[in-house]
Structure formats: C-alpha cells, structure tokens
Amino acid sequence: MIDYATWCAIREGVASHLTAPQLADSLDLDVKTVRHWMDRPYAPRAPVPRTSKLDPYKGRIVGWLDAHPLTAQQVFQRLRDAGYEGGISIVKDYVHKIRPPRREAFLTLAFAPGEAAQVDWGEYGTICVGNTRRRLSFFVMVLAWSRKMYVEFTLSQTMEQFLAAHINAFAALGVSRKVMVDNLRSAVLRHVRGEPVQFNPRYLDFARHYGFEIVACAPRKGNEKDCAAYCTSCGMCGETSLAGG
C-alpha cells in the first residue's frame, strides 16, 4: 500500500508520459506497484477489524450488567464459567466502556415559609470612588420558600459589612429559622467532611442574638449553594450547628 503523496507522484509521472519502469526507478518502487496505481484512483486500504476472544460474549455481558450492577471481576468469573479463555484486562476495559457512569443522586427539598434563607457574597466589577476604582461587591439573601431576595451592594466584604447586610436583609425579609451559608470566611473558619464545622465566633454570637440556626453547605457541592445564581433551592448537607453552639 502506497501513501497519497506517492500516488500523486505516480499520477504526475503518467501525465508527463513517463513509463512504469522510469517511474519505478525514480520513486524507488517495484514496477508492478507502479503499474497497479498508474490508472487507479487512490483508495486507502480499509482496516481489517480486529477480533478478540471477548467478542462472542459481549452480548451476554450487556445482559448481565442490565440485570445486576456486577463488578468487572464478577463478570470475568462468569465468563470463565462460560468458557472464556482470555484475560481480565480486556474484560475490565469493555465493562468500563459500556457501563454508564454513576451519578450522585440529589433529593429535591421543600421548605416551609420562614424556614430557611441562603446568603452569599458576589462581585460586580468595579466602581469609581474619587480618583480610584474600587471592587464592587454585593450581599444577597434569598428566602427558600417564597424566593424573595434582598441584595445590597458594598465596597468591601468585611465582617462588619456582612453582619450589617444581614440586619438590613432581616428588616426587609424577616428572620428565617435557618440561614444557609457557603464556606465564606465571615461565617465558616473550617469545614472538613466528617468533622464538626468550625464557625466564625462573631457570626455564632450574631446568630444567637437573632435566634437563627446556621447551616453550612458541603464543600464543592454546587447543588447546595446557588445563591449567587439567584437560585432558591439549597440542599441540607446534614452538617449543621445550632446558633446556641
């Protein structure tokens, strides 16, 4: 089999009225190969499909996996019982290829009126203040049941601004029994899965004063923190702390 560039060279030689021996000599090819391609269109050789010892069993494997969530090792053991003589590596590759990826399931949660709100910080570009430009932030609180939302723009994300924005949001929306927070430094100092959440002491004192429970969404759980996208559905990760400590 010749490549496309060689075929083009043969065709150019034919157009220049060169003979097959002349072309074979100049292209370092066998004269029979040149004669074969002198009047033929170029067509790459179709790849020959490779067969494997697993091919006769693939339909059976699909049926097994549809019926039960078998591991590749379990599939291999069943194949051996059925007469398969190949290795396990090709079985693992095929099972991985046809098995759909497992997806984490999420519950759709419902909230009662006044039960929960979610808070977060966001950024909205910069703003000119005097002769300088300052980062423009916004605090947002969303009620989980009614989807009412309070937004306050600030020039910083300090603890003072965080608590003041809460107070303003409570005045507009009321105080929910639970406030869900992302892992903001103003609210959460440390959040490691499997360990108690360490909340900011000032935020805990604030929660005690206003009588709400703090709920920390799990790290890297996008389904539990959608406040910045103005979504009002937040999952409860189960790692909570009462305002009373």
Side-chain angles (χ1 to χ4, degrees):
M1 183 66 189
I2 62 174
D3 57 28
Y4 182 70
T6 303
W7 178 83
C8 289
I10 292 174
R11 300 298 296 172
E12 290 175 1
V14 171
S16 300
H17 307 290
L18 296 178
T19 65
Q22 291 172 327
L23 284 171
D25 183 62
S26 63
L27 298 175
D28 195 22
L29 295 173
D30 186 274
V31 68
K32 293 181 180 179
T33 301
V34 174
R35 288 195 176 104
H36 176 81
W37 289 103
M38 287 180 71
D39 57 355
R40 293 174 182 265
Y42 183 74
R45 182 179 300 167
V48 178
R50 297 179 60 185
T51 60
S52 73
K53 295 180 180 180
L54 191 63
D55 288 343
Y57 302 93
K58 287 183 176 179
R60 198 177 307 187
I61 294 173
V62 172
W64 290 341
L65 294 178
D66 285 342
H68 304 285
L70 302 176
T71 65
Q73 180 64 42
Q74 290 172 319
V75 171
F76 178 69
Q77 290 172 347
R78 289 193 178 195
L79 289 173
R80 298 291 285 182
D81 293 340
Y84 172 68
E85 297 180 351
I88 192 173
S89 297
I90 190 173
V91 176
K92 288 182 177 180
D93 292 342
Y94 185 67
V95 169
H96 178 75
K97 177 181 178 181
I98 65 173
R99 191 201 304 276
R102 295 182 180 179
R103 299 184 181 276
E104 187 175 1
F106 300 109
L107 294 176
T108 301
L109 301 179
F111 297 94
E115 179 183 358
Q118 187 179 3
V119 300
D120 208 346
W121 280 115
E123 295 184 3
Y124 197 77
T126 60
I127 188 173
C128 185
V129 179
N131 296 325
T132 62
R133 296 197 67 83
R134 297 280 300 277
R135 182 182 66 179
L136 186 62
S137 299
F138 64 89
F139 168 92
V140 58
M141 176 180 287
V142 182
L143 299 183
W145 181 79
S146 66
R147 301 188 179 185
K148 288 184 179 180
M149 179 174 58
Y150 173 84
V151 178
E152 179 176 329
F153 288 89
T154 69
L155 294 177
S156 67
Q157 296 183 10
T158 63
M159 190 60 162
E160 288 71 21
Q161 291 282 6
F162 187 58
L163 299 182
H166 272 71
I167 295 172
N168 295 335
F170 291 155
L173 303 176
V175 180
S176 300
R177 293 189 293 276
K178 300 174 183 177
V179 173
M180 302 173 183
V181 296
D182 194 357
N183 291 281
L184 308 169
R185 191 66 179 174
S186 302
V188 178
L189 299 182
R190 179 178 171 82
H191 191 178
V192 178
R193 185 173 296 277
E195 298 180 8
V197 181
Q198 182 181 351
F199 291 104
N200 189 304
R202 289 189 62 185
Y203 193 52
L204 275 176
D205 289 341
F206 182 82
R208 292 189 188 100
H209 177 76
Y210 280 90
F212 64 85
E213 174 187 347
I214 308 171
V215 178
C217 294
R220 295 178 295 279
K221 288 288 186 178
N223 63 299
E224 296 182 3
K225 39 185 179 279
D226 300 314
C227 201
Y230 303 134
C231 175
T232 59
S233 177
C234 177
M236 300 280 281
C237 64
E239 298 174 352
T240 62
S241 173
L242 295 177

